[in-house]
Amino acid sequence: MSHSELLKIGDFARVANTNLRTLRYYEELGLLAPASRSRGGFRYYRRTDVHRVILIRDLQELGLALERIHDLIGSRGKHESRESFLGRVRAALEEQGRLLDERTRAIEEQRRKVHEALHKLAECRDCQHSPCAMNNFCEPCANTGAALPESLSALYQ
Amino acid sequence: MSHSELLKIGDFARVANTNLRTLRYYEELGLLAPASRSRGGFRYYRRTDVHRVILIRDLQELGLALERIHDLIGSRGKHESRESFLGRVRAALEEQGRLLDERTRAIEEQRRKVHEALHKLAECRDCQHSPCAMNNFCEPCANTGAALPESLSALYQ
DNA sequence: TTGCTCCTCACGTCACGTGAGGTGGC
DNA sequence: TTGCTCCTCACGTCACGTGAGGTGGC
């Protein structure tokens, strides 16, 4: 149960669900360094560092560039106080929470549009009108005052 | 109130909340063509086509490549039947719904981790231990059986 | 020693960003 | 005619993908 159990890059990539190129690129950007190197240059990673990979991935999916992520989760400098460091950690977590809120709102909006479009699509089965490229709106529906949902007018093209 | 009101690419980009380069690139990939061109080559777009831009953006944010999006929402071919076309539209919408479900689950998981880490971080203020690069785990917490949340062990580095 | 894993270049790709140099439209 | 918008190359960028050619580790 030694804390110094180390993995070669291939094994680490497997447990972190990523690949060699990505890990080397993260190292190049200073995002995640291997715990040590062998004499021959082989990278050795700590198992616990998978959490860091997952965090980086999570932030990327929220739309952050790797450089921005580096700013957020960069390591503690030699001259940084404990309070300053904990403050930065908290700020990074709160930033992530804010981004999650934004993303949640966007997804709910998308879901609303998709549901509306699917519901409308059921009605279309009994209608013989076919919008086309030069006529990207649904005349029958417009005429009865029931306009096409946005997602459908985007697909009928 | 003519249906043929057309916008130059700059005005269209403004209402679609995008830019000239992106619109030209979408056209190059066959994702969205202007309704017409002037003699001098100027692109003219229909106002209703903003919905298509928004749909493409939504699908991109769900992680789809533009070529995959082209497969999903490509226009109706000359020889495609009405039923086939409506079936494709429905499949595209259902695919989007599936992707939204996945994304929602991933975001809820991230939110859980962030909340857990922020809660734990409050406790850290009264603790004097500082994990560092060579010791990326929190000994005091581990010793009392209260392990660090994953997001914190990723940040303490 | 064999075979698998790893190493460092280095060029390719996707979805644009960003000028350069020139022309269209009211 | 002036000025703003648009046009088509074409090279740059970010986050990797994908070999080429060579060496390390058990």
Side-chain angles (χ1 to χ4, degrees):
Chain A
M1 62 142 278
S2 106
H3 284 302
S4 55
E5 185 198 7
L6 295 178
L7 302 174
K8 281 192 288 190
I9 192 168
D11 295 328
F12 182 68
R14 233 180 314 281
V15 300
N17 198 28
T18 182
N19 61 67
L20 311 202
R21 183 64 172 103
T22 298
L23 291 173
R24 289 179 190 135
Y25 188 58
Y26 286 176
E27 181 180 0
E28 194 179 323
L29 299 185
L31 268 172
L32 170 62
S36 66
R37 291 254 197 167
S38 72
R39 272 186 304 108
F42 279 37
R43 291 166 178 84
Y44 284 93
Y45 292 85
R46 279 180 298 259
R47 210 176 210 103
T48 50
D49 287 342
V50 291
H51 300 312
R52 195 165 172 93
V53 174
I54 292 169
L55 177 60
I56 293 169
R57 289 299 199 189
D58 285 349
L59 291 172
Q60 277 186 289
E61 285 192 4
L62 292 177
L64 295 185
L66 289 180
E67 203 174 319
R68 176 90 179 92
I69 295 174
H70 182 257
D71 294 344
L72 278 180
I73 70 172
S75 58
R76 181 180 178 181
K78 277 287 165 216
H79 301 300
E80 185 172 19
S81 74
R82 176 184 172 75
E83 281 101 80
S84 163
F85 175 67
L86 288 181
R88 264 199 321 117
V89 169
R90 161 172 284 275
L93 290 172
E94 283 171 350
E95 164 86 346
Q96 193 178 356
R98 213 177 46 71
L99 289 168
L100 285 170
D101 286 345
E102 267 176 35
R103 189 56 59 101
T104 299
R105 266 192 294 279
I107 285 188
E108 276 167 6
E109 173 67 9
Q110 281 194 56
R111 174 160 299 294
R112 190 192 59 69
K113 287 193 288 182
V114 169
H115 279 341
E116 182 188 32
L118 274 170
H119 183 264
K120 187 72 190 173
L121 194 61
E123 294 177 14
C124 292
R125 295 201 312 171
D126 303 320
C127 167
Q128 286 311 307
H129 179 71
S130 288
C132 63
M134 291 312 295
N135 177 16
N136 183 31
F137 53 90
C138 199
E139 279 190 15
C141 294
N143 286 346
T144 61
L148 269 187
E150 296 170 2
S151 295
L152 272 192
S153 78
L155 282 165
Y156 274 140
Q157 140 111 268
Chain B
M1 64 141 277
S2 105
H3 284 301
S4 55
E5 185 197 7
L6 295 177
L7 302 175
K8 282 192 288 191
I9 191 168
D11 295 327
F12 182 69
R14 232 180 314 281
V15 300
N17 198 28
T18 182
N19 61 67
L20 311 202
R21 182 64 171 102
T22 297
L23 291 173
R24 290 179 190 135
Y25 188 58
Y26 287 176
E27 180 180 1
E28 194 179 324
L29 298 186
L31 268 172
L32 170 63
S36 66
R37 291 253 198 168
S38 72
R39 273 186 303 109
F42 279 36
R43 292 166 177 84
Y44 284 93
Y45 292 85
R46 279 181 297 259
R47 210 177 210 103
T48 50
D49 287 342
V50 291
H51 301 311
R52 194 166 174 93
V53 174
I54 292 169
L55 177 60
I56 293 170
R57 288 299 198 189
D58 286 349
L59 290 172
Q60 277 186 288
E61 284 192 5
L62 291 176
L64 295 185
L66 290 180
E67 203 175 318
R68 176 91 179 91
I69 295 174
H70 183 257
D71 294 344
L72 278 179
I73 69 171
S75 59
R76 180 178 178 181
K78 278 287 166 216
H79 302 299
E80 186 174 17
S81 73
R82 177 184 172 77
E83 280 102 80
S84 163
F85 175 67
L86 287 181
R88 265 199 321 116
V89 169
R90 162 174 284 275
L93 290 171
E94 283 171 349
E95 164 86 348
Q96 193 178 355
R98 212 177 46 71
L99 289 167
L100 286 169
D101 286 344
E102 266 176 37
R103 190 53 61 100
T104 299
R105 267 192 295 279
I107 286 188
E108 277 167 4
E109 173 67 10
Q110 282 193 56
R111 174 161 298 295
R112 190 193 57 72
K113 286 194 290 182
V114 169
H115 280 342
E116 183 189 30
L118 274 170
H119 183 263
K120 186 71 191 174
L121 194 61
E123 293 177 15
C124 292
R125 295 200 312 170
D126 304 320
C127 167
Q128 285 312 305
H129 179 71
S130 287
C132 63
M134 292 310 294
N135 178 17
N136 182 31
F137 54 90
C138 198
E139 279 189 15
C141 294
N143 287 346
T144 61
L148 270 187
E150 298 170 1
S151 294
L152 271 192
S153 78
L155 283 165
Y156 273 142
Q157 144 109 268

